[in-house]
Amino acid sequence: MTSRQPIEPPSSRYELPDPLVAPPGEDLIAVGADLEPGTLLAGYRGGLFPMPDDPDRRRARLAWYSPDPRAILPLDGLRVTRSLRRSIRRYEVRHNHDFLATVEACADPDRPNRWISRAFVDAYMALYELGWTHSFESYLDGELVGGLYGIRIDGLFAGEAMFHRSTDASKVALVSLVEWLTQTDAVLLDVQWQTDHLESLGSVEIPRNEYLGLLRRAISPLPRS
């Protein structure tokens, strides 16, 4: 399966805050609510995403973030090096072939900075069943060796996590994601926080207010003539 019309879930029973009222430079916006599909979609549509406030705590709270600055990867700015082009030829990339395995690989407890709990795996799987989440997976000799997943809402793709077990496997998946987003008229690829790895691939930081403006346009596309 590569694409389908997503199903709108029941609305959240929570009213999430507007990141515009947060102090500049403050990433943590709120704590609480739940991981129901309607709450998750309301969060992403409002410029928020959920994570545990302290993954190392046994009873970490559910927190909602809107980083300032925010990292995005311009769809025309992905850096594909010569070595990455060679790697692209090594892997088979599949779209939504095994979403659950991809998320569980990203949630591997042996990974450094791991924060994806079973509750998050189940929450994004529920969104997948409704058609909102997507995975891009790299295979080598039929084995899943890298990939990524995230949420697609109109012209927005919110990247959540990626993993690799073989050189450049997650990067190859990212190349396929960007190709798909370009072909399907997406306009905004959100990667949350800047890292050296993402920056090497072409991601840039922008002020939160600028991101929220881009987000509004991405999820409210103008009608075509």
Side-chain angles (χ1 to χ4, degrees):
M1 181 187 67
T2 57
S3 63
R4 55 189 165 124
Q5 187 65 30
I7 299 168
E8 189 69 34
S11 298
S12 176
R13 61 193 180 97
Y14 296 96
E15 184 174 347
L16 299 176
D18 185 347
L20 283 173
V21 304
E26 178 61 56
D27 293 354
L28 176 60
I29 307 301
V31 174
D34 59 32
L35 290 172
E36 290 298 312
T39 305
L40 285 171
L41 291 176
Y44 285 97
R45 286 168 172 153
L48 305 167
F49 58 84
M51 291 180 68
D53 67 333
D54 184 352
D56 294 327
R57 279 175 41 193
R58 185 177 180 85
R59 294 186 178 275
R61 299 176 299 173
L62 176 60
W64 297 86
Y65 293 90
S66 183
D68 187 21
R70 187 82 164 230
I72 65 170
L73 192 122
L75 295 179
D76 61 355
L78 178 64
R79 294 179 187 147
V80 181
T81 63
R82 187 173 301 173
S83 63
L84 180 53
R85 291 187 189 280
R86 289 196 295 268
S87 293
I88 290 171
R89 296 193 290 269
R90 294 181 58 215
Y91 298 102
E92 176 191 1
V93 179
R94 303 175 188 174
H95 179 189
N96 288 350
H97 179 74
D98 199 337
F99 180 84
L100 179 58
T102 303
V103 179
E104 289 182 332
C106 291
D108 184 346
D110 293 330
R111 296 184 68 199
N113 303 316
R114 174 261 191 190
W115 59 268
I116 304 172
S117 67
R118 190 71 228 179
F120 279 83
V121 173
D122 292 344
Y124 287 98
M125 192 67 201
L127 277 180
Y128 175 77
E129 296 294 341
L130 294 172
W132 293 97
T133 48
H134 295 263
S135 61
F136 282 79
E137 311 140 18
S138 296
Y139 290 83
L140 187 62
D141 298 326
E143 179 184 356
L144 176 64
V145 292
L148 57 86
Y149 75 96
I151 293 180
R152 174 75 185 264
I153 304 174
D154 297 324
L156 163 72
F157 189 89
E160 276 299 306
M162 57 200 311
F163 83 99
H164 72 276
R165 298 171 182 147
S166 181
T167 302
D168 286 344
S170 60
K171 294 180 182 179
V172 170
L174 179 62
V175 171
S176 288
L177 167 66
V178 170
E179 290 175 350
W180 175 68
L181 293 176
T182 301
Q183 293 165 2
T184 55
D185 299 323
V187 295
L188 180 59
L189 174 49
D190 170 30
V191 295
Q192 302 178 348
W193 281 292
Q194 183 75 294
T195 66
D196 292 342
H197 175 66
L198 290 171
E199 186 175 17
S200 72
L201 292 167
S203 68
V204 297
E205 291 184 308
I206 59 175
R208 177 166 55 216
N209 288 358
E210 182 179 341
Y211 170 80
L212 293 174
L214 293 174
L215 173 65
R216 284 191 295 272
R217 292 192 287 275
I219 64 176
S220 302
L222 294 173
R224 298 182 181 180
S225 56

